[in-house]
Amino acid sequence: MTDFAAIILAAGKGTRMKSDLHKVLHPIAGKPMLMHLLDSFAGLSPQRTVVVVGDRREQIDAALEGRGITTAMQDPQLGTAHAALQAKDALSGFSGNILICFGDCPMVEAETVRKLTAALDGGAKVAVLGFRPEDPLAYGRIIAQGDGTVVKMVEFKDASETERAVNLCNSGLIVAHSDDMWPLLDAVDNNNAQGEYYLPDVATNAIARGDKVVVVETGADEVAGINSRSELAGAEQRWQAARREQAMADGATLKAPDTVFFSHDTQLGRDVTVEPHVVFGPGVKVANGVHIKAYTHLEGADLATGVQVGPFARLRPGAVLEENSFVGNFVEMKKATLGKGAKASHLSYIGDATVGANANIGAGTITCNYDGYFKYHTTIGERAFIGSNSALVAPVTIGADAIVAAGSTVSRDVGAGELRMVRAEQLVKQGWADRFHDTMKKKKAAAKKDGPSKDP
């Protein structure tokens, strides 16, 4: 493949999003749409990538820090062709194919770009990406011959009735070799109603000078632009639907697929069962044979083979469940490891902790890991038994085979094999309850006899 560079246009204000966050940084499946595009292009090994910025440049610069990607400023904003020209200095000395695309079209795939660049090998000077939406609306039209040679590109407002009847639309993506791209961009003028320099005129001018321009087609979803919260939700919906199908194709069972939500980096093994209303946040790895029950939320968690989780469980970043361990309903884990075969069946918080193999965490157990200033660690040994409603005040270690009696507050280490019982002595007052009930019954009867209170 010829050397490749990408120019991503992201200088627009994104006013329809009505957000303080730059439009291209709004996430799909937990990843900013710009990063979806960049990660896709990474498979093409671009020599250079330039993101053209404008409004809220600092946000994009911060998001791109450390990625080796250049930004170029467009100010003032005079149209898409003008925006692309702002990358010229950053691509000085580069010789190869240049793709120009939009940061708010995040689902463009590397294979589609390969097809675009390959189209230049047949003698074309410019390749454009077209699509056929269900409703062409006011998209610009591509008038092409049967072999894909473009005869004309026309904006909807300038199209004739015959041209508007064509459903091949312009996505805006365009590829040309640098030797052709820069002269064609320089030749674009602003002789139009808006007084702007439009990117499609690169192809129009190429046709006018006798160059061959070809169109490559793709699906409408791949090039759908995102300009509003509604369109963002639509893109999320399409991404999730595709990811669910992929999960099932890879051997996972989704009981109610439409209610399961994945992150961009969710990893699922084979024979995983996911019940309804499960949400995967970023950083979740699930091994083979795991069962995730309904209404469970996972983020930054690592689940080994044979693990069961939920229902109504929450696994936060740093949660590690080793083979055949079990977390039940209303259990929350954070930065904690549950050893092989260990169980926390219900109503517990396990934070900043290591739980040994085959240990049992009783209902209502809490690792008290925070003193308002610092976090502390709790270590629970193998086969230890923590009774219900226990509070383990970190830092504390519970030894192997130790038992913590129900209702205990443990603030000192418990040795291996010990029983630790921390309870106040029970006080018994014979007959007290009977006398109390008699007294209160008499008061209530007297109140009824005297009638309603006359207090103001």
Side-chain angles (χ1 to χ4, degrees), residues 5 60 107 146 176 259 387 426:
I60 295 182
M107 296 297 118
T259 70
Q426 294 191 35

Side-chain angles (χ1 to χ4, degrees), residues 94-112:
F94 171 78
S95 179
N97 292 329
I98 297 175
L99 166 73
I100 303 174
C101 62
F102 299 93
D104 60 4
C105 293
M107 296 297 118
V108 177
E109 298 179 1
E111 185 57 32
T112 300

Side-chain angles (χ1 to χ4, degrees), residues 180-191:
D180 298 304
M181 182 66 83
W182 299 124
L184 287 168
L185 279 170
D186 284 328
V188 173
D189 62 37
N190 64 344
N191 185 23

Side-chain angles (χ1 to χ4, degrees), residues 9 24 43 49 52 56 88 94 98 114 132 154 161 168 176 186 236 251 258 297 316 337 433:
L9 307 185
V24 301
T49 300
V52 179
R56 298 169 189 168
K88 189 173 183 179
F94 171 78
I98 297 175
R114 285 194 183 94
R132 298 180 188 270
V154 58
E161 288 301 317
L168 181 58
D186 284 328
E236 178 80 34
D258 289 349
H297 188 285
R316 294 168 56 194
T337 298

Side-chain angles (χ1 to χ4, degrees), residues 202-425:
V202 167
T204 299
N205 291 345
I207 294 169
R209 73 181 192 182
D211 291 338
K212 183 178 180 180
V213 176
V214 295
V215 59
V216 173
E217 293 190 40
T218 191
D221 288 347
E222 186 178 357
V223 292
I226 299 173
N227 297 291
S228 67
R229 304 282 184 155
S230 177
E231 290 173 350
L232 182 67
E236 178 80 34
Q237 185 179 42
R238 292 190 297 273
W239 190 97
Q240 292 293 342
R243 183 63 182 88
R244 292 164 188 147
E245 289 296 325
Q246 185 63 52
M248 292 185 285
D250 290 342
T253 295
L254 308 184
K255 296 283 188 170
D258 289 349
T259 70
V260 176
F261 291 86
F262 292 104
S263 178
H264 65 96
D265 58 354
T266 304
Q267 298 180 31
L268 291 185
R270 297 180 64 178
D271 296 315
V272 171
T273 298
V274 183
E275 293 187 4
H277 302 288
V278 171
V279 176
F280 294 91
V284 178
K285 298 179 181 179
V286 180
N288 296 341
V290 171
H291 188 171
I292 303 173
K293 298 182 180 180
Y295 294 98
T296 292
H297 188 285
L298 310 91
E299 181 178 356
D302 195 337
L303 283 61
T305 302
V307 163
Q308 293 188 59
V309 178
F312 295 99
R314 184 183 181 196
L315 302 184
R316 294 168 56 194
V320 176
L321 279 70
E322 296 183 351
E323 289 86 347
N324 299 312
S325 58
F326 171 65
V327 163
N329 52 292
F330 302 105
V331 173
E332 179 179 351
M333 285 183 64
K334 187 274 298 183
K335 201 175 180 182
T337 298
L338 202 60
K340 295 180 180 180
K343 297 183 295 183
S345 297
H346 29 231
L347 302 166
S348 295
Y349 171 70
I350 306 170
D352 296 280
T354 301
V355 180
N358 297 307
N360 183 85
I361 309 298
T365 295
I366 297 172
T367 58
C368 307
N369 57 331
Y370 184 48
D371 65 0
Y373 297 93
F374 301 101
K375 298 288 181 72
Y376 302 94
H377 198 79
T378 297
T379 300
I380 300 171
E382 295 182 355
R383 299 173 301 281
F385 185 94
I386 311 300
S388 297
N389 202 35
S390 294
L392 309 181
V393 183
V396 67
T397 297
I398 312 299
D401 298 301
I403 296 175
V404 173
S408 296
T409 298
V410 179
S411 57
R412 296 192 300 273
D413 290 353
V414 179
E418 288 184 357
L419 167 66
R420 179 66 56 86
M421 182 182 297
V422 186
R423 296 176 182 164
E425 182 180 356

